[in-house]
Amino acid sequence: GGCFHHQSAPKVSLNPLTATPQMIDSLWREGTNYYARHKWDKAAAAFDRVELEIMPGDRRALLARMYLGELYVREGSNLQGIREYRRLVDEFPTDSLAPEALLRAADAYNALWHGPDLDSQYGLTAQSVYSEVLTRYANSPAAARAKTNMQDLDNRFATKMYRAGLFYMKYK
């Protein structure tokens, strides 16, 4: 057979991280400006790009995840938002944004459970993530909100059990 370089292989850049620091700064400003003006799609595109191009250790990588999580949830893509929040928590567990990101992940699961009469898997997952906020970040403001949100969730579970009980009483 012939040598590899004699084949007509497509030219592929070996280093996709081609953005200069100035380009990253510009993309970041673009993303935050779109975000401030409620242009969610354009903000998400800019933050996605920032996330790809940014240098490890740049705090904007973590902020971009937070923005993306919020943008996905705002657009109704809760599971994608949860993925961004979880990545932030997993990669930067000691950052000051981690408790808030974990709380938002729990809230996004909670929002996916639409009612006591429906499958409660998302509700159970929300409960578990709220517990994780309370365990991992007990003294954070996010923990106080997790406790309140968890009580609301517990009330929804109680309503579910009550309705199930009524149903079985009625139809024995």
Side-chain angles (χ1 to χ4, degrees):
C3 292
F4 176 74
H5 63 271
H6 287 283
Q7 297 171 0
S8 57
K11 300 257 185 292
V12 177
S13 168
L14 295 179
N15 182 8
L17 304 176
T18 54
T20 64
Q22 294 78 11
M23 289 164 71
I24 293 169
D25 291 346
S26 174
L27 269 172
W28 180 257
R29 278 193 306 278
E30 198 175 282
T32 55
N33 286 337
Y34 283 134
Y35 184 88
R37 297 194 340 254
H38 300 241
K39 298 198 180 300
W40 312 126
D41 289 353
K42 291 182 177 189
F47 290 127
D48 264 331
R49 180 79 195 280
V50 164
E51 217 178 21
L52 290 173
E53 300 282 0
I54 209 154
M55 296 302 290
D58 188 326
R59 190 152 198 278
R60 290 176 299 181
L62 165 144
L63 293 169
R65 294 230 169 93
M66 197 71 170
Y67 274 122
L68 284 167
E70 192 175 327
L71 289 166
Y72 285 133
V73 168
R74 189 181 288 274
E75 291 181 335
S77 300
N78 288 35
L79 294 175
Q80 260 184 301
I82 290 163
R83 225 176 347 267
E84 292 294 335
Y85 292 138
R86 279 304 326 196
R87 281 179 61 201
L88 187 158
V89 173
D90 294 344
E91 293 173 26
F92 306 96
T94 59
D95 190 90
S96 60
L97 279 178
E100 182 67 26
L102 195 57
L103 175 67
R104 289 184 187 192
D107 288 344
Y109 276 121
N110 194 355
L112 285 169
W113 186 32
H114 295 294
D117 299 325
L118 301 172
D119 176 19
S120 57
Q121 186 55 53
Y122 288 127
L124 293 169
T125 304
Q127 220 170 22
S128 151
V129 180
Y130 284 133
S131 293
E132 188 180 347
V133 174
L134 294 172
T135 305
R136 290 177 75 174
Y137 305 108
N139 299 318
S140 70
R145 294 204 329 275
K147 194 175 260 176
T148 301
N149 296 358
M150 202 165 176
Q151 288 166 340
D152 294 340
L153 191 58
D154 289 345
N155 290 339
R156 288 170 67 201
F157 275 110
T159 301
K160 179 182 178 63
M161 291 178 74
Y162 174 74
R163 287 186 183 166
L166 283 181
F167 176 84
Y168 287 113
M169 291 280 295
K170 187 174 180 179
Y171 296 102
K172 288 192 183 151

